[in-house]
Structure formats: C-alpha cells, structure tokens
C-alpha cells in the first residue's frame, strides 16, 4: 500500500515555505507526479499558493516560475518572440512524457527530479539555464545537476533565449521510450555551439564535441560500447547541422 505524507502544509509566501523546508524529511510538492508516486516518507509543502506560475521575457531571457506546468510552458512558447530556442524547448517538453503527465508536472519538479534521461534538462543546459533558489541565489543548472548537495526550493528557471538554431537527435528503442542516447545542439547567432546529451553519464550534461566523455556503465537499453558509438554519431550529425 502506498504511504501518505505525514503532514501537508500550504504556505502563503516563499519565506514561510523556506521555514518549513528547513526541517529534515520535508519535501516541496510541485505537480506531485513523482513525489507522491515515490511513497513520501515525511511532510510535504505544497507550493501552489506562492505565485510561482508566471512566465516573462526580458531582453532575450525567459524566466519561468517553478510551478508552471510543462503543458502551460509549451503553450506559452508558441507566442514567444521569434528565436530558435522556443521550438527547441517546445520539442524537448513534448518528449518529456505523455500529455496527462505534462498537465501536472511542473518545471521546478522536473529539474529537482534530476532525471538521468531527461531531454528537457539537456535542452535547458544548452540554453545556459540558471535556477533561482528560495533565498534569491542563482545557480547554474549544470552545477545543480553535477552536485546533489545543492538542494532547496527552486522558485524559477532563467533561460537564455537568444537567436540561433538548434537540433535534437536521439536513439531509442521506440519513439515513445526514454532515449538510449540523446544529443541537443544549440548554435547561438555569433556564439559558440553548445551540445548536451543524455545516456552517456549519470545525468544530462554538457559535452565536449571533440572529446565527449561517456561514463555510463550500460543497462538493458544499451551497453556502454553502444552508447559511446551512438554518442559519436549523434554529435557528428549535430555538428553538421550547426555548420
Ligand atoms: C508514472 C510516472 C511516469 C513518469 N513519466 C515521466 C516521463 O515520461 N518523463 C519524465 O521526464 N518524467 C517522468 N516521470 C518523473 C516525474 O513525473 C518528473 O520528474 C516530473 O517532471 C516531476 O514534476 P512534478 O512537478 O510532478 O514534481 P513532484 O513530483 O512534485 O516533485 C518531484 C521532486 O522534485 C521536488 N520539487 C518539486 N518542486 C520543487 C521546487 N520548486 N523546488 C525544489 N524541489 C522541488 C520534490 O520535492 C520531489 O523531490 C514519471 C513519474 C511517474 C511516477
């Protein structure tokens, strides 16, 4: 039988939420698609009254509140100022799972879940996303994914949506399955190409296109040698698309 949270809190301000989250075994509740399915052993702090559901564009930077659902995020990208980043993000959101799940899952919860195969996290990495934490500090997503000791309330994600073009590519057993290996390339206008991938390491990570590091030990989806080989193929295709 699934375990219920031992207490439910619904704070009215970020400060109040931060106070509640200071205790151990107290968890932020976003859309609940993962937290509640994982059998919570502790208390939950529902973030829905904190006004973290706005999306703003300022000078090429997109700021998305942590409680924006993946469905609302994708819908708002459709009216975004013309930039190649919007379709790249919309495609990555679409690949994040079925629409029933996207209707509930939030961007904050998706980031905090640090899912190893998330193409959405890879897309955010190439767009140089940073996280705004409850105390106002800003942390690079790349740093957050590489360091599990960085925890705490995420209130927003800031994404560099300058002009450019991108390409996503993947190898998967079926179109609906998690990718075995995936690569996302972003070529900003006048800037340096950035590539991120999943399935090569424990978490989505930025890659060195000339010398990608693959530490994934392999699993039922694909062994280590196959992953390394496919990484090289996908990076080659991404570089060709950038050129
Ligand atoms: C049946 C099932 C199917 C799934 N399918 C997919 C899928 O197809 N693709 C996919 O990518 N994922 C999938 N997931 C994983 C999960 O749904 C995602 O990670 C989801 O994006 C989590 O978002 P959420 O808002 O529901 O987070 P929650 O479930 O509310 O929280 C998830 C984690 O994030 C923390 N958290 C939530 N919000 C914040 C915040 N603002 N700041 C700090 N920490 C926070 C919570 O404390 C918890 O640890 C699936 C999970 C289940 C159970």
């Amino acid at each position: 039988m699934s375990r219920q949270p031992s207490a439910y809190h619904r704070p009215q301000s970020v400060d109040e939420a931060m106070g509640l989250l200071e205790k151990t075994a107290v968890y932020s509740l976003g859309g609940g698609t993962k937290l509640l399915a994982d059998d919570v052993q502790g208390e939950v702090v529902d973030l829905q009254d904190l006004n973290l559901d706005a999306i703003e564009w300022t000078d090429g930077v997109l700021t998305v509140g942590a409680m924006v659902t993946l469905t609302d995020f994708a819908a708002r990208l459709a009216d975004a100022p013309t930039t190649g980043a919007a379709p790249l993000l919309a495609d990555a959101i679409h690949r994040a799972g079925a629409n029933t799940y996207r209707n509930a899952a939030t961007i904050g919860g998706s980031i905090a879940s640090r899912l190893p195969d998330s193409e959405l996290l890879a897309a955010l990495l190439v767009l140089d996303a940073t996280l705004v934490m409850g105390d106002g500090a800003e942390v690079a997503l790349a740093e957050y994914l590489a360091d599990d000791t960085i925890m705490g309330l995420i209130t927003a994600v800031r994404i560099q949506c300058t002009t450019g073009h991108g390409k996503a590519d993947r190898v998967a057993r079926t179109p609906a399955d998690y990718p075995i290996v995936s690569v996302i390339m972003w070529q900003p206008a006048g800037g340096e190409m950035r590539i991120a991938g999943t399935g090569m390491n424990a978490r989505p990570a930025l890659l060195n296109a000339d010398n990608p590091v693959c530490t994934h030990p392999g699993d039922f989806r694909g062994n280590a040698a196959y992953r390394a080989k496919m990484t090289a193929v996908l990076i080659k295709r991404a570089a060709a698309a950038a050129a």
Side-chain angles (χ1 to χ4, degrees), residues 109-194:
S110 303
I111 291 169
S113 297
R114 293 175 158 109
L115 294 177
D117 300 313
S118 171
E119 290 163 285
L120 176 55
L121 291 181
L124 291 171
L125 280 171
V126 292
L127 296 173
D128 210 6
T130 56
L131 311 179
V132 183
M133 308 304 285
D135 61 2
E138 209 161 327
V139 179
L141 175 63
E143 196 185 332
Y144 182 85
L145 292 178
D147 184 352
D148 282 1
T149 65
I150 306 176
M151 295 188 295
L153 178 65
I154 299 167
T155 58
V157 52
R158 290 208 174 111
I159 307 162
Q160 303 298 319
C161 282
T162 49
T163 321
H165 69 276
K167 180 175 165 56
D169 208 349
R170 69 199 317 247
V171 179
R173 297 179 304 175
T174 70
D177 196 9
Y178 287 112
I180 304 169
V181 171
S182 77
V183 156
I184 294 205
M185 177 281 293
W186 174 242
Q187 174 67 67
E192 282 200 10
M193 177 180 73
R194 288 165 69 92

